[in-house]
Amino acid sequence: MISIKKNIDHHLSNYDKVQSSFSWDEIAKELNELPDGKGLNIAHEAIDRHAQTHLKDTVALRFIRKDRSFQDLTYGELQKQTSKFANVLQKLGVKKGERVFSFAGRVPELYTTALGTLKYTAVFCPLFSVFGPDPVFQRLSRGDATVLVTTSLLFEKKIKPLLERLPSLRFIILTDASEHFSAQIMSFPKLMEQASAEFSIPETNPEDAALLHFTSGTTGMPKGVLHVHQAVLTHYATGKYVLDFHEGDRYWCTADPGWVTGTSYGIITPLLHGVTSIIDEEEFDAIRWYSILEEHKISIWYTAPTAIRRLMRLEIKPCEEYHLEDLRLILSVGEPLHAEAVIWGQENFGIPILDNWWQTETGGIMIANYPSMTVKPGSMGKPLPGVEIAIAEINDKELKFITEPNIQGHLVLKKGFPSLFRGYLHEEERYNKCFIGEWYLSGDLAKKDADGYFWFIGRADDIIKTSGHMVGPFEVESTLMRHPAVAEAAVIGKPDPIIGELVKAFVVLKSGIESNEEIRMDIMGFARKLMGPAVAPKEIEFVESIPKTRSGKILRRLLKARELGLPEGDISTLEQS
Ligand code: ATP
Ligand code: MG
């Protein structure tokens, strides 16, 4: 058990106290309604209300370019830019609730588009810039895109060939074109130049649609998840209690806005708290990342296990080689964070890495290790105050809650928190299947210990049934990762006539280690000793890399399909290595 040593007055200094007195109405009071009681609008809370205060000249967004030069946008400037974009939408005749997509790298125009769209009360939907034409087409057509903001290069390469098949896409706005091409294909700078910087945000109802996000596609075809403006309450509450924002913080979320983390926590939440958010336009590079942490004096850093594992593999000792005194929180989401990684954080940064759990569907962080709380490495932490989370068995569409500690079951969340999704686009039946009465079924399995901490077991779809045991791949992978030769591991169940399923592991060895029978037996023996022969892998295959989604999640279903010679299914989010 490890406690954070850095001295700060945390917003959540006593979990039980905050939890017992928490109310969403009180959170709403910390935000400012639009004038004349016109409701809570995400962009108003994130920008305009700060632009009227001493924060006007504070840097809201700092964009770091490839050559590490940077561009700053203050809250005052961001207010003007986003109002202009809202006016552009008005001029184009876009209607409230229509969908505005972005398909670009992490450039300033993407952020202006996102927040300007929210001001206008249209719906923002980001696409990851490295998607090929097919996944882009799928999402634009399923999402009924009206407007697309993209770059000239991406337009030429990936969008132009699709245009005929996208009749409802009325406008394409190119971030880097100096002139309009036609009434449909227009220049972003030109439209902005002609737009007024004054925009009065229309009445925004709590249930007004705000965001459309496609899931990572880890378990199948990505789902289009719809969120409403009221989600701002969760964003704000998690910024306060989990990310523990204080004025003057410099924050860096490494996720791309193409995924929900990059929007909820890479755009909205830091702005809600008036802090400075750093955005790196480039992809992962260890030296670059450590240099950014140092140069921009990052105080709060939100990243993912996949990046942490890549850093852990290197010989770099960040705290000895870089000045990282300002760094007081490191958080991780997206996949289970192995206990080793939490401890590595403690040893290398002097602070443990705080794991937290949530999904595209929950819109914001739901379970977290809070900065003030004792961290149990390997655990996801405790529920966000205001959200009821339980472990349950599901039998014949009925829930039976498990109250005894340390028994695994389905992780379920009680409806009623503001950021729970309001639908899967065009898939009502699939949406309805996610609920039993008042409870949302997350599709993940977990257990809760006697202290109220939740521990991730696996996705219900991935659970392996072997010789009458239920085995979570994550548990086996975690054990394998403790072997000194193992860099990465992915575990699946392979159908077996005798034992039901056989535990099979795909292992990437650390660089310089040769894959041979001796090392295979050594890893196998190591796992058996720690886990017992029933659960330890019976087969180990050495591979060069593990297939992952672009958001960094292990695609076990793909490994399984390949193993069984079955069709690969939707691989639009597969990271090409
Ligand atoms: P799809 O729903 O399309 O299969 P996905 O579930 O991977 O894709 P996301 O919504 O991006 O799409 O990911 C949420 C899932 O990621 C969670 O349900 C959980 O399985 C996993 N996850 C996220 N954070 C954690 C965490 N801290 N520990 C363990 N698992 C996590
Ligand atoms: Mg999911």
Side-chain angles (χ1 to χ4, degrees):
M1 287 199 193
I2 301 161
S3 304
I4 289 191
K5 308 249 167 11
K6 305 240 163 167
N7 218 354
I8 188 132
D9 235 353
H10 296 298
H11 291 301
L12 190 151
S13 57
N14 180 328
Y15 179 83
D16 294 330
K17 205 168 139 204
V18 171
Q19 200 201 31
S20 61
S21 61
F22 184 91
S23 98
W24 289 108
D25 288 342
E26 289 301 314
I27 288 290
K29 283 190 197 146
E30 294 183 30
L31 297 168
N32 284 356
E33 267 205 51
L34 290 168
D36 309 322
K38 287 196 291 180
L40 291 177
N41 175 291
I42 297 176
H44 171 77
E45 298 311 320
I47 314 165
D48 290 22
R49 79 182 169 112
H50 300 311
Q52 293 149 15
T53 70
H54 66 286
L55 291 172
K56 179 168 179 266
D57 298 320
T58 297
V59 175
L61 302 174
R62 167 170 294 178
F63 296 91
I64 305 178
R65 306 187 188 101
K66 192 179 173 126
D67 64 1
R68 301 242 308 266
S69 64
F70 58 84
Q71 177 191 346
D72 285 344
L73 266 182
T74 64
Y75 279 91
E77 288 160 345
L78 193 58
Q79 177 181 34
K80 289 194 185 128
Q81 293 296 317
T82 50
S83 289
K84 279 180 172 226
F85 190 78
N87 281 318
V88 166
L89 295 180
Q90 184 141 49
K91 191 169 161 212
L92 296 177
V94 172
K95 294 194 209 73
K96 178 175 178 150
E98 284 193 322
R99 301 199 181 111
V100 177
F101 278 63
S102 69
F103 180 46
R106 292 184 281 271
V107 291
E109 291 83 356
L110 187 157
Y111 294 75
T112 310
T113 300
L115 294 157
T117 300
L118 291 169
K119 270 193 175 176
Y120 188 70
T121 62
V123 175
F124 175 65
C125 179
L127 298 180
F128 191 35
S129 64
V130 298
F131 279 153
D134 194 53
V136 173
F137 173 74
Q138 285 295 333
R139 288 165 178 75
L140 289 173
S141 63
R142 276 167 61 199
D144 308 307
T146 304
V147 178
L148 172 66
V149 174
T150 186
T151 64
S152 305
L153 187 70
L154 289 171
F155 173 68
E156 286 297 328
K157 267 176 55 183
K158 298 181 188 171
I159 306 294
K160 219 172 176 178
L162 308 174
L163 277 187
E164 273 182 20
R165 292 155 66 207
L166 293 167
S168 66
L169 184 58
R170 297 212 308 275
F171 304 103
I172 292 151
I173 307 180
L174 303 178
T175 57
D176 51 352
S178 48
E179 295 298 329
H180 297 324
F181 284 95
S182 64
Q184 187 193 18
I185 300 161
M186 309 178 99
S187 147
F188 190 98
K190 194 134 197 184
L191 286 168
M192 292 289 278
E193 193 186 292
Q194 291 159 352
S196 153
E198 299 288 324
F199 180 78
S200 163
I201 301 180
E203 176 160 0
T204 309
N205 296 312
E207 291 299 315
D208 279 347
L211 297 158
L212 169 65
H213 269 294
F214 287 91
T215 59
S216 292
T218 312
T219 53
M221 187 70 157
K223 295 152 270 191
V225 174
L226 281 162
H227 287 287
V228 295
H229 273 271
Q230 199 188 28
V232 72
L233 297 176
T234 305
H235 295 146
Y236 180 83
T238 50
K240 180 173 177 178
Y241 295 126
V242 184
L243 296 157
D244 199 37
F245 284 130
H246 286 70
E247 209 174 302
D249 269 327
R250 283 166 308 276
Y251 163 78
W252 182 24
C253 170
T254 61
D256 189 273
W259 312 110
V260 71
T261 308
T263 308
S264 292
Y265 295 100
I267 306 182
I268 297 167
T269 305
L271 299 179
L272 292 174
H273 287 269
V275 304
T276 296
S277 186
I278 275 84
I279 295 147
D280 182 22
E281 295 182 10
E282 289 295 297
E283 293 305 317
F284 177 85
D285 174 281
I287 303 289
R288 182 180 170 96
W289 277 29
Y290 284 136
S291 308
I292 289 176
L293 289 174
E294 177 182 73
E295 190 179 334
H296 298 278
K297 299 187 172 11
I298 304 292
S299 48
I300 302 176
W301 185 33
Y302 197 12
T303 187
T306 175
I308 294 164
R309 284 197 296 268
R310 286 165 86 172
L311 294 174
M312 285 170 74
R313 271 196 239 169
L314 306 171
E315 290 299 311
I316 309 172
K317 294 246 169 276
C319 263
E320 287 169 22
E321 296 172 42
Y322 296 86
H323 290 284
L324 303 175
E325 294 77 18
D326 292 289
L327 191 61
R328 66 181 168 84
L329 289 183
I330 309 176
L331 304 101
S332 163
V333 74
E335 266 199 305
L337 187 69
H338 304 266
E340 279 62 43
V342 180
I343 294 159
W344 175 83
Q346 179 74 54
E347 286 170 356
N348 286 274
F349 293 94
I351 41 176
I353 299 173
L354 302 176
D355 188 19
N356 54 75
W357 177 94
W358 58 291
Q359 310 179 300
T360 311
E361 288 86 342
T362 67
I365 299 168
M366 293 287 120
I367 303 179
N369 285 282
Y370 302 86
S372 59
M373 225 166 74
T374 305
V375 173
K376 293 195 188 189
S379 157
M380 306 187 284
K382 292 191 182 190
L384 181 72
V387 185
E388 213 178 310
I389 304 185
I391 304 292
E393 263 177 53
I394 303 176
N395 291 324
D396 282 338
K397 297 195 184 145
E398 274 195 25
L399 285 185
K400 195 171 141 232
F401 292 101
I402 299 173
T403 46
E404 269 170 86
N406 302 320
I407 308 281
Q408 78 178 51
H410 291 264
L411 184 69
V412 298
L413 292 83
K414 193 163 185 190
K415 273 183 178 172
F417 60 92
S419 63
L420 184 62
F421 71 134
R422 301 301 199 261
Y424 283 137
L425 195 67
H426 307 314
E427 293 188 283
E428 208 182 322
E429 204 185 317
R430 199 172 183 185
Y431 173 72
N432 291 333
K433 273 198 186 142
C434 295
F435 295 90
I436 294 181
E438 287 300 292
W439 292 82
Y440 163 64
L441 319 176
S442 72
D444 285 348
L445 302 180
K447 60 187 180 187
K448 184 178 164 182
D449 70 17
D451 299 326
Y453 285 68
F454 284 76
W455 299 75
F456 185 77
I457 304 287
R459 293 166 184 267
D461 287 6
D462 284 342
I463 292 299
I464 303 165
K465 295 174 197 80
T466 182
S467 313
H469 300 278
M470 303 276 271
V471 181
F474 166 58
E475 194 186 348
V476 185
E477 288 157 9
S478 296
T479 305
L480 291 170
M481 296 272 294
R482 286 165 61 188
H483 188 283
V486 176
E488 265 193 293
V491 167
I492 61 162
K494 181 173 160 183
D496 180 279
I498 298 163
I499 55 171
E501 278 182 308
L502 167 163
V503 178
K504 166 154 190 177
F506 296 84
V507 166
V508 179
L509 291 172
K510 287 196 179 144
S511 59
I513 295 177
E514 204 187 317
S515 59
N516 54 32
E517 213 35 47
E518 199 185 325
I519 189 83
R520 189 196 316 275
M521 294 320 286
D522 197 65
I523 297 172
M524 208 99 102
F526 175 85
R528 277 189 188 190
K529 207 165 110 204
L530 291 178
M531 312 193 72
V535 175
K538 295 221 169 9
E539 270 184 35
I540 292 184
E541 184 177 329
F542 294 119
V543 289
E544 290 294 313
S545 64
I546 304 268
K548 296 204 191 82
T549 65
R550 293 194 182 276
S551 50
K553 297 164 198 279
I554 298 175
L555 272 166
R556 295 186 190 84
R557 72 171 159 94
L558 183 59
L559 284 169
K560 193 159 178 173
R562 286 178 181 166
E563 179 73 30
L564 303 178
L566 296 171
E568 293 193 338
D570 182 279
I571 51 162
S572 61
T573 60
L574 175 66
E575 184 181 46
Q576 312 290 339
S577 52

Short mmCIF file of all heavy atoms in Angstrom, two decimals, residues 495-520:
data_model
loop_
_atom_site.label_atom_id
_atom_site.label_comp_id
_atom_site.label_asym_id
_atom_site.label_seq_id
_atom_site.Cartn_x
_atom_site.Cartn_y
_atom_site.Cartn_z
N PRO A 495 -10.96 -23.32 -27.44
CA PRO A 495 -11.85 -24.46 -27.20
C PRO A 495 -11.08 -25.78 -27.12
O PRO A 495 -10.18 -26.02 -27.93
CB PRO A 495 -12.79 -24.45 -28.41
CG PRO A 495 -12.75 -23.03 -28.90
CD PRO A 495 -11.38 -22.51 -28.58
N ASP A 496 -11.46 -26.57 -26.14
CA ASP A 496 -10.77 -27.84 -25.94
C ASP A 496 -11.82 -28.88 -25.55
O ASP A 496 -12.64 -28.63 -24.67
CB ASP A 496 -9.74 -27.69 -24.80
CG ASP A 496 -8.98 -28.97 -24.54
OD1 ASP A 496 -9.52 -29.86 -23.84
OD2 ASP A 496 -7.84 -29.07 -25.04
N PRO A 497 -11.82 -30.05 -26.22
CA PRO A 497 -12.89 -31.02 -25.99
C PRO A 497 -12.94 -31.55 -24.56
O PRO A 497 -14.00 -31.92 -24.07
CB PRO A 497 -12.57 -32.14 -26.98
CG PRO A 497 -11.16 -31.92 -27.40
CD PRO A 497 -10.86 -30.47 -27.22
N ILE A 498 -11.83 -31.55 -23.88
CA ILE A 498 -11.83 -32.15 -22.54
C ILE A 498 -12.05 -31.12 -21.44
O ILE A 498 -12.90 -31.28 -20.57
CB ILE A 498 -10.51 -32.94 -22.31
CG1 ILE A 498 -10.45 -34.06 -23.34
CG2 ILE A 498 -10.47 -33.51 -20.88
CD1 ILE A 498 -9.11 -34.67 -23.52
N ILE A 499 -11.31 -30.03 -21.49
CA ILE A 499 -11.40 -29.08 -20.36
C ILE A 499 -12.25 -27.85 -20.68
O ILE A 499 -12.27 -26.89 -19.93
CB ILE A 499 -9.99 -28.66 -19.87
CG1 ILE A 499 -9.14 -28.09 -21.02
CG2 ILE A 499 -9.29 -29.83 -19.21
CD1 ILE A 499 -7.84 -27.47 -20.54
N GLY A 500 -12.97 -27.88 -21.79
CA GLY A 500 -13.82 -26.73 -22.14
C GLY A 500 -13.02 -25.72 -22.93
O GLY A 500 -13.14 -25.61 -24.15
N GLU A 501 -12.18 -25.00 -22.21
CA GLU A 501 -11.29 -24.06 -22.88
C GLU A 501 -9.90 -24.21 -22.26
O GLU A 501 -9.77 -24.43 -21.06
CB GLU A 501 -11.77 -22.62 -22.69
CG GLU A 501 -12.86 -22.21 -23.66
CD GLU A 501 -13.26 -20.76 -23.47
OE1 GLU A 501 -13.56 -20.37 -22.33
OE2 GLU A 501 -13.24 -20.01 -24.45
N LEU A 502 -8.93 -24.02 -23.12
CA LEU A 502 -7.55 -24.12 -22.66
C LEU A 502 -6.96 -22.71 -22.63
O LEU A 502 -7.24 -21.90 -23.51
CB LEU A 502 -6.87 -25.01 -23.67
CG LEU A 502 -5.41 -25.24 -23.85
CD1 LEU A 502 -5.26 -26.52 -24.68
CD2 LEU A 502 -4.72 -24.12 -24.57
N VAL A 503 -6.22 -22.40 -21.58
CA VAL A 503 -5.66 -21.05 -21.48
C VAL A 503 -4.44 -20.95 -22.38
O VAL A 503 -3.46 -21.69 -22.23
CB VAL A 503 -5.27 -20.73 -20.01
CG1 VAL A 503 -4.65 -19.34 -19.92
CG2 VAL A 503 -6.48 -20.85 -19.09
N LYS A 504 -4.52 -20.07 -23.36
CA LYS A 504 -3.39 -19.88 -24.27
C LYS A 504 -2.86 -18.46 -24.16
O LYS A 504 -3.64 -17.50 -24.16
CB LYS A 504 -3.84 -20.17 -25.71
CG LYS A 504 -2.82 -19.67 -26.72
CD LYS A 504 -2.81 -20.39 -28.03
CE LYS A 504 -1.57 -19.92 -28.81
NZ LYS A 504 -1.38 -20.59 -30.06
N ALA A 505 -1.53 -18.33 -24.08
CA ALA A 505 -0.94 -16.99 -23.95
C ALA A 505 -0.10 -16.65 -25.16
O ALA A 505 0.63 -17.50 -25.68
CB ALA A 505 -0.07 -16.95 -22.69
N PHE A 506 -0.24 -15.42 -25.61
CA PHE A 506 0.64 -14.87 -26.63
C PHE A 506 1.59 -13.94 -25.89
O PHE A 506 1.14 -13.06 -25.15
CB PHE A 506 -0.16 -14.10 -27.68
CG PHE A 506 -1.10 -14.99 -28.44
CD1 PHE A 506 -2.37 -15.29 -27.92
CD2 PHE A 506 -0.72 -15.53 -29.66
CE1 PHE A 506 -3.23 -16.13 -28.61
CE2 PHE A 506 -1.58 -16.37 -30.36
CZ PHE A 506 -2.84 -16.67 -29.84
N VAL A 507 2.88 -14.15 -26.10
CA VAL A 507 3.85 -13.41 -25.30
C VAL A 507 4.85 -12.68 -26.19
O VAL A 507 5.38 -13.25 -27.14
CB VAL A 507 4.59 -14.39 -24.34
CG1 VAL A 507 5.83 -13.74 -23.74
CG2 VAL A 507 3.65 -14.88 -23.24
N VAL A 508 5.08 -11.41 -25.87
CA VAL A 508 6.16 -10.65 -26.51
C VAL A 508 7.31 -10.63 -25.51
O VAL A 508 7.13 -10.22 -24.36
CB VAL A 508 5.72 -9.20 -26.83
CG1 VAL A 508 6.86 -8.41 -27.49
CG2 VAL A 508 4.46 -9.18 -27.69
N LEU A 509 8.47 -11.09 -25.95
CA LEU A 509 9.62 -11.10 -25.05
C LEU A 509 10.31 -9.75 -25.06
O LEU A 509 10.20 -8.99 -26.03
CB LEU A 509 10.61 -12.19 -25.48
CG LEU A 509 10.13 -13.63 -25.29
CD1 LEU A 509 11.10 -14.60 -25.93
CD2 LEU A 509 9.95 -13.96 -23.81
N LYS A 510 11.00 -9.45 -23.99
CA LYS A 510 11.76 -8.18 -23.94
C LYS A 510 12.85 -8.22 -24.99
O LYS A 510 13.34 -9.30 -25.35
CB LYS A 510 12.36 -7.99 -22.56
CG LYS A 510 11.32 -7.62 -21.53
CD LYS A 510 11.93 -7.05 -20.28
CE LYS A 510 10.82 -6.67 -19.31
NZ LYS A 510 11.15 -6.89 -17.93
N SER A 511 13.25 -7.07 -25.49
CA SER A 511 14.21 -7.07 -26.59
C SER A 511 15.53 -7.70 -26.12
O SER A 511 15.95 -7.52 -24.97
CB SER A 511 14.44 -5.66 -27.13
OG SER A 511 14.90 -4.86 -26.10
N GLY A 512 16.14 -8.46 -26.99
CA GLY A 512 17.41 -9.12 -26.66
C GLY A 512 17.21 -10.54 -26.11
O GLY A 512 18.18 -11.27 -25.96
N ILE A 513 15.97 -10.91 -25.83
CA ILE A 513 15.76 -12.27 -25.30
C ILE A 513 15.29 -13.19 -26.42
O ILE A 513 14.33 -12.88 -27.13
CB ILE A 513 14.77 -12.25 -24.12
CG1 ILE A 513 15.41 -11.45 -22.99
CG2 ILE A 513 14.39 -13.66 -23.68
CD1 ILE A 513 14.59 -11.25 -21.79
N GLU A 514 15.97 -14.29 -26.54
CA GLU A 514 15.68 -15.20 -27.65
C GLU A 514 14.49 -16.10 -27.29
O GLU A 514 14.40 -16.60 -26.16
CB GLU A 514 16.92 -16.06 -27.88
CG GLU A 514 17.00 -16.62 -29.30
CD GLU A 514 18.16 -17.59 -29.40
OE1 GLU A 514 19.25 -17.28 -28.86
OE2 GLU A 514 17.96 -18.67 -29.99
N SER A 515 13.62 -16.31 -28.28
CA SER A 515 12.48 -17.19 -27.98
C SER A 515 12.89 -18.63 -28.27
O SER A 515 13.11 -18.99 -29.42
CB SER A 515 11.28 -16.79 -28.84
OG SER A 515 11.62 -16.87 -30.20
N ASN A 516 12.99 -19.42 -27.24
CA ASN A 516 13.31 -20.84 -27.45
C ASN A 516 12.54 -21.68 -26.43
O ASN A 516 11.82 -21.15 -25.58
CB ASN A 516 14.82 -21.08 -27.35
CG ASN A 516 15.38 -20.54 -26.05
OD1 ASN A 516 14.70 -20.53 -25.03
ND2 ASN A 516 16.62 -20.08 -26.08
N GLU A 517 12.70 -22.97 -26.52
CA GLU A 517 11.95 -23.89 -25.69
C GLU A 517 12.25 -23.67 -24.20
O GLU A 517 11.36 -23.78 -23.34
CB GLU A 517 12.32 -25.32 -26.13
CG GLU A 517 11.22 -26.34 -26.01
CD GLU A 517 9.81 -25.84 -26.28
OE1 GLU A 517 9.59 -25.13 -27.29
OE2 GLU A 517 8.93 -26.16 -25.47
N GLU A 518 13.49 -23.35 -23.93
CA GLU A 518 13.91 -23.19 -22.54
C GLU A 518 13.15 -22.03 -21.87
O GLU A 518 12.60 -22.19 -20.77
CB GLU A 518 15.41 -22.89 -22.54
CG GLU A 518 16.08 -23.15 -21.22
CD GLU A 518 17.54 -22.71 -21.30
OE1 GLU A 518 18.15 -22.87 -22.39
OE2 GLU A 518 18.05 -22.18 -20.30
N ILE A 519 13.07 -20.93 -22.58
CA ILE A 519 12.39 -19.77 -21.99
C ILE A 519 10.88 -20.03 -21.91
O ILE A 519 10.22 -19.65 -20.95
CB ILE A 519 12.74 -18.46 -22.76
CG1 ILE A 519 12.22 -17.23 -22.00
CG2 ILE A 519 12.24 -18.41 -24.17
CD1 ILE A 519 13.14 -16.79 -20.92
N ARG A 520 10.38 -20.75 -22.90
CA ARG A 520 8.94 -21.10 -22.86
C ARG A 520 8.64 -21.91 -21.60
O ARG A 520 7.70 -21.64 -20.86
CB ARG A 520 8.56 -21.90 -24.11
CG ARG A 520 7.04 -22.11 -24.24
CD ARG A 520 6.66 -23.21 -25.23
NE ARG A 520 7.41 -23.17 -26.46
CZ ARG A 520 7.10 -22.41 -27.50
NH1 ARG A 520 6.03 -21.65 -27.47
NH2 ARG A 520 7.86 -22.42 -28.58
#
